[in-house]
Amino acid sequence: MTTDELTEPKPSALFVCVHNAGRSQMAAGFLRALSDGAVEVRSAGSMPAEMINPTAVDAMLERGIDIRAERPKVLTDEAVQASDVVITMGCGDACPFYPGKKYEDWELADPAGQGIDAVRPIRDEIERRVRHLLAELGVEPAA
């Protein structure tokens, strides 16, 4: 570990959607995989579902990213405060706002109840946006 790694904190991102079962989980999965540990990744929902959307899981497995072990989590003020970038995906006004945080809203279709053919373009757009986020954070994608 270099001295820079000891003194420079990792950038962190929080992905938020209503159920934390589809879009935010796919985004977190892509960021974990593509940053190879260089970014601290969180995801949460304003009204978390019981489980991750199985079609989102299947769509991510097609890309070699396994999010089956993830569970929907409730959005907390602590998660927002601990993150440098907060990316919302249709959670409306449920996301707390803190000055000094960077906020982005990614308007994406909701994969809930959709088949794999409808989820693939959502997944691909999330990947494109995650790669752009990595560039903004100055992190070279692992793949």
Side-chain angles (χ1 to χ4, degrees), residues 68-81:
R68 288 178 287 195
E70 298 299 324
R71 298 287 173 255
K73 295 169 278 311
V74 70
L75 176 65
T76 64
D77 284 353
E78 293 78 21
V80 176
Q81 288 176 311

Side-chain angles (χ1 to χ4, degrees), residues 8 10 20 31 35 37 46 48-49 66 71 80 88 93 97 101-102 108 113 116 123-125:
E8 287 293 316
K10 281 190 215 182
N20 189 222
L31 188 56
S35 74
S46 52
D66 188 352
R71 298 287 173 255
V80 176
T88 58
D93 295 329
F97 180 84
K101 301 289 175 195
K102 178 180 180 184
L108 298 160
I116 191 74
R123 172 204 62 201
D124 294 347
E125 178 60 16

Side-chain angles (χ1 to χ4, degrees), residues 58-135:
D58 291 344
M60 293 300 286
L61 283 170
E62 289 180 352
R63 290 297 173 87
I65 298 171
D66 188 352
I67 60 171
R68 288 178 287 195
E70 298 299 324
R71 298 287 173 255
K73 295 169 278 311
V74 70
L75 176 65
T76 64
D77 284 353
E78 293 78 21
V80 176
Q81 288 176 311
S83 301
D84 298 315
V85 180
V86 179
I87 297 160
T88 58
M89 304 171 171
C91 71
D93 295 329
C95 190
F97 180 84
Y98 290 97
K101 301 289 175 195
K102 178 180 180 184
Y103 289 85
E104 290 183 22
D105 185 46
W106 292 359
E107 288 188 30
L108 298 160
D110 189 345
Q114 303 289 333
I116 191 74
D117 289 335
V119 173
R120 284 181 185 122
I122 299 167
R123 172 204 62 201
D124 294 347
E125 178 60 16
I126 290 171
E127 179 182 10
R128 186 188 70 74
R129 291 179 187 215
V130 166
R131 286 181 180 278
H132 181 76
L133 175 64
L134 281 169

